[in-house]
Amino acid sequence: MYQTILNHIARDIELNEREEQEFCSILSEIKLNKKGVLINPGDLVTHEYFVVKGCLKSYYQDEKGNKHIMQFAIEDWWISDFEAFFNQTPAQLYVEAIEDSNLFGIEKNALEELYKRIPKFERFFRIKTTSAFVSLRYRILSSLQKSSSKQYVEFCRAYPQIEQRVTNYHIANYLGIKPESLSRIRKELAILNSN
Amino acid sequence: MYQTILNHIARDIELNEREEQEFCSILSEIKLNKKGVLINPGDLVTHEYFVVKGCLKSYYQDEKGNKHIMQFAIEDWWISDFEAFFNQTPAQLYVEAIEDSNLFGIEKNALEELYKRIPKFERFFRIKTTSAFVSLRYRILSSLQKSSSKQYVEFCRAYPQIEQRVTNYHIANYLGIKPESLSRIRKELAILNSN
């Protein structure tokens, strides 16, 4: 199980055996059943999580009970309520498993200590955070400039694995459209593709 | 002028004199008049920019000519078309001065070299990027959960200096509401505050 996260890290930084062991020693293993909740609103968020296997979502539930999906996470992705994690404020999001999932958690203080002992991790998390930041800006920009149909096509292209693993409801919610609209878009695209 | 950016950096990492000089040697100074454009859609974005003095905005202009403000930047903030800068894809945004502005630019390759020579900058930009990422998530969440009136109050609290320096039109656009709605909100708040 450790090899998955070590391979993930090796794409950006090189660790020797001692550093790998030191890193693995601060990880906690978490198993979550489908629909299991990792974070609830109001929680103190002490960890961020790496997905070894499975699929999760983070979402905000408004006063009327409507859910708004902020993020999906599958293998090799990181998830948490990041605002709450980094600023140490109470969680505002739910983080919940869509499938049975295996995760690694890293505790905030242990991570800060890791930066001191193995500064290469500054580089690793700089690269990961930059990529998350850019994706989020791209998502905002995409919602401003593209039709729902184009956004759906882009979503499928960017996240082909997610598109096959989550429900229509989830994708529609993430794109900020109604499930009926997504069904209509899919039908239109199917007709276009068959021509 | 260099002292401003060195003070900004000293809040997160400690540099010795040689490192300060090395860092300053890769900065380019830019002066921009009010309404001057730093980045146009389609540009290759080679730099990110630190604001020494002034105020800028980045915005997307849709097919109908409507502008959507992505970001403001005043003293001590960083601005660019970050997607274009990090992914080396053509710019989609305009970056434009709202006031006469003095900036420092850092070129992407020079920054990558800097990481190799002074790895402490990995830490500095990890912290800055994390903070930008978290602010962006907070902005999305805020737009889901709060009334326009509450969003405006939060904006003024979070960015008091910006609120005084940009027009009503700018703030309304950033919050995704009409200028008339912002005027109404301001009147309502003035009445509430006078009671």
Side-chain angles (χ1 to χ4, degrees), chain A residues 140-181:
Chain A
I140 294 173
L141 200 57
S142 189
S143 75
L144 290 175
Q145 68 188 139
K146 295 194 173 74
S147 66
S148 303
S149 173
K150 275 191 189 156
Q151 281 185 60
Y152 171 66
V153 171
E154 283 212 349
F155 176 82
C156 296
R157 195 176 297 146
Y159 309 113
Q161 292 176 291
I162 291 180
E163 198 261 339
Q164 289 159 28
R165 286 164 71 171
V166 302
T167 62
N168 279 4
Y169 163 80
H170 279 126
I171 299 174
N173 186 295
Y174 180 85
L175 296 175
I177 59 177
K178 290 187 178 160
E180 306 87 84
S181 307

Side-chain angles (χ1 to χ4, degrees), chain B residues 58-133:
Chain B
S58 69
Y59 64 93
Y60 171 70
Q61 186 161 337
D62 66 25
E63 287 169 1
K64 293 174 188 161
N66 300 317
K67 295 174 182 178
H68 307 269
I69 295 178
M70 285 287 280
Q71 190 201 339
F72 295 111
I74 54 171
E75 289 79 13
D76 267 7
W77 289 36
W78 294 82
I79 196 164
S80 188
D81 180 333
F82 290 110
E83 302 86 315
F85 177 71
F86 288 116
N87 293 339
Q88 293 293 283
T89 49
Q92 300 202 63
L93 302 179
Y94 290 88
V95 177
E96 191 180 310
I98 295 177
E99 301 172 0
D100 291 349
S101 300
N102 295 339
L103 314 170
F104 280 126
I106 298 191
E107 201 265 330
K108 194 167 191 299
N109 295 329
L111 183 60
E112 293 296 335
E113 282 303 312
L114 185 72
Y115 288 137
K116 286 179 198 158
R117 290 203 308 272
I118 314 175
K120 275 182 274 189
F121 277 96
E122 301 274 10
R123 177 174 178 80
F124 175 74
F125 281 103
R126 177 185 61 76
I127 292 172
K128 288 294 143 202
T129 309
T130 301
S131 158
F133 172 63

Side-chain angles (χ1 to χ4, degrees), chain A residues 60 68 71 82-83 86-87 92-93 115 122-123 126 129-130 132-134 136-137 141 144-145, chain B residues 60 68 71 82-83 86-87 92-93 115 122-123 126 129-130 132-134 136-137 140-141 144-145:
Chain A
Y60 171 70
H68 307 270
Q71 189 201 339
F82 290 110
E83 302 86 313
F86 288 117
N87 293 339
Q92 299 201 65
L93 303 179
Y115 288 138
E122 301 274 10
R123 177 174 178 82
R126 177 185 63 76
T129 309
T130 300
F133 172 63
V134 166
L136 198 57
R137 291 203 26 141
L141 200 57
L144 290 175
Q145 68 188 139
Chain B
Y60 171 70
H68 307 269
Q71 190 201 339
F82 290 110
E83 302 86 315
F86 288 116
N87 293 339
Q92 300 202 63
L93 302 179
Y115 288 137
E122 301 274 10
R123 177 174 178 80
R126 177 185 61 76
T129 309
T130 301
F133 172 63
V134 167
L136 199 56
R137 293 206 22 143
I140 293 173
L141 200 57
L144 291 175
Q145 68 187 141

Side-chain angles (χ1 to χ4, degrees), chain A residues 15-32:
Chain A
L15 298 179
N16 62 36
E17 207 169 319
R18 184 195 60 77
E19 290 165 337
E20 286 188 353
Q21 281 169 5
E22 191 161 342
F23 174 67
C24 291
S25 75
I26 67 164
L27 299 176
S28 47
E29 281 187 51
I30 295 131
K31 278 180 192 280
L32 208 61

Side-chain angles (χ1 to χ4, degrees), chain A residues 8-140:
Chain A
H8 169 75
I9 288 168
R11 274 175 229 137
D12 293 310
I13 55 169
E14 209 172 304
L15 298 179
N16 62 36
E17 207 169 319
R18 184 195 60 77
E19 290 165 337
E20 286 188 353
Q21 281 169 5
E22 191 161 342
F23 174 67
C24 291
S25 75
I26 67 164
L27 299 176
S28 47
E29 281 187 51
I30 295 131
K31 278 180 192 280
L32 208 61
N33 291 331
K34 183 175 172 174
K35 297 203 174 171
V37 177
L38 192 61
I39 296 175
N40 276 294
D43 284 358
L44 180 67
V45 179
T46 49
H47 290 68
E48 59 179 338
Y49 302 93
F50 173 82
V51 184
V52 178
K53 191 176 163 298
C55 182
L56 297 96
K57 62 182 171 182
S58 69
Y59 64 93
Y60 171 70
Q61 187 162 338
D62 67 23
E63 287 169 1
K64 292 174 189 160
N66 300 317
K67 295 173 180 177
H68 307 270
I69 294 177
M70 285 286 282
Q71 189 201 339
F72 295 112
I74 54 169
E75 289 79 15
D76 267 8
W77 289 36
W78 294 82
I79 195 164
S80 188
D81 180 333
F82 290 110
E83 302 86 313
F85 176 72
F86 288 117
N87 293 339
Q88 293 291 283
T89 49
Q92 299 201 65
L93 303 179
Y94 289 88
V95 177
E96 193 180 308
I98 295 177
E99 301 172 0
D100 292 348
S101 300
N102 295 340
L103 314 170
F104 280 126
I106 298 193
E107 200 265 330
K108 194 167 192 298
N109 294 329
L111 183 61
E112 293 297 334
E113 282 302 312
L114 183 74
Y115 288 138
K116 286 181 198 157
R117 290 204 309 271
I118 314 174
K120 273 182 275 188
F121 277 96
E122 301 274 10
R123 177 174 178 82
F124 175 74
F125 282 102
R126 177 185 63 76
I127 292 172
K128 288 293 141 199
T129 309
T130 300
S131 159
F133 172 63
V134 166
S135 298
L136 198 57
R137 291 203 26 141
Y138 187 76
R139 182 178 167 194
I140 294 173

